[in-house]
Amino acid sequence: MRDLNETSVTDAVLEQMAGTPDERLREVMASLVRHLHDFARDVRLTPQEWLQAIGFLTQVGQACTPARQEFILLSDVLGLSALVNLMHDKTAIEQGTESSLLGPFYRQDAPDLALGETIAAKAPGHEFLVYGRVTDLHGKALPNASVQVWQTDEDGVYDLQKGRGETMDMRGNFRCDAAGRFHFRTVKPLGYLIPMDGPVGKLVHSQHRHGYRPAHIHFLVGAPGYRELVTALYLADDEHIETDTVFGVSNALVTSPRDEDPQAPMKGIPAIHYDFRLGIAAADEAGRVGADPSQIVAAH
Ligand code: BEZ
Ligand code: FE
């Protein structure tokens, strides 16, 4: 029997886990234990605080449903999802378009729309155009690339947040033409509060953070053999563009509609022009951070 003290307990745990046959699991768990123990020593974690943390994580788990992933939201507000995305982008041999968070409002079953159609079900007030090309890293067009888009309406609300989520609006799947071009019409999305009615929202409130995401349009862009791109375009004039609660904004993804764009494939409405560059996919690669929660629940 060994008498463990505040530091030797860490070595004792690492020793017991050292025989883990799966190399990656061994590496990840050893590092996790080292950092967790260092953290507890650093803040001199008390038994009450430890219990409070267990209670919080229990609430986070209990808030999860097939349509809501509170653990992903926790990862988002801690900047962990953004960090994982940033590291994943760096693993690309050459730089493709920067990624951003998938978020909880992606749907697999969005309608297929023809190029030029609008994703807004209702006759919109301030319509604008989004257009561009999907290419490889050298600018070569990727014909028939798929471009899935989703966003809030002009009031900052996703279709999934209305009623029981039975309406379908402000989303669509487009197929690029033979030159890798896409264009669609939409209305201006509005910035919105992340889901604040659960334990993560309570945490955000207790930290006096505003809880807003700046206005954005989500994109999931893919072509066979290329790395699937999860990203978003952010609107420059949003008041929270510098302080996104989930750290998804990067300069390269900030855009504004232009009133007069001679290149735009439709005239008479403002246009955002953005070209997406996809890298080659590595074998067994999955690049999405924040997958569809219903899939996570179904998978286990
Ligand atoms: C979103 O952009 O839809 C989102 C991302 C992370 C947390 C909440 C919302
Ligand atoms: Fe969003």
Side-chain angles (χ1 to χ4, degrees), residues 139-180:
K140 184 172 80 72
L142 299 180
N144 308 316
S146 97
V147 176
Q148 300 183 51
V149 299
W150 67 104
Q151 64 168 74
T152 69
D153 60 17
E154 287 180 295
D155 299 320
V157 183
Y158 282 96
D159 56 1
L160 284 172
Q161 296 173 299
K162 294 177 188 171
R164 286 201 210 94
E166 60 279 3
T167 52
M168 178 80 77
D169 194 14
M170 303 309 305
R171 58 182 77 234
N173 302 335
F174 295 90
R175 186 68 57 198
C176 290
D177 67 12

Side-chain angles (χ1 to χ4, degrees), residues 68 73 76-77 104-105 152-153 155-158 161 189-198 200-202 204-205 208-216 218 238-240 243-246:
R68 177 171 183 154
L73 195 62
D76 294 344
V77 304
F105 301 115
T152 69
D153 60 17
D155 299 320
V157 183
Y158 282 96
Q161 296 173 299
L190 195 67
Y192 58 88
L193 277 174
I194 62 164
M196 293 290 278
D197 56 342
V200 173
K202 241 192 229 164
V204 168
H205 268 310
H208 286 204
R209 295 162 69 180
H210 56 60
Y212 276 91
R213 295 220 68 206
H216 56 274
H218 290 275
D238 191 288
E239 63 176 306
H240 300 114
T243 56
D244 181 9
T245 305
V246 299

Side-chain angles (χ1 to χ4, degrees), residues 27-48:
E27 179 190 4
V28 168
M29 288 306 297
S31 179
L32 178 69
V33 165
R34 260 189 251 109
H35 283 90
L36 262 182
H37 286 210
D38 278 345
F39 153 74
R41 283 185 284 261
D42 185 34
V43 300
R44 307 307 304 169
L45 195 69
T46 68
Q48 292 93 319

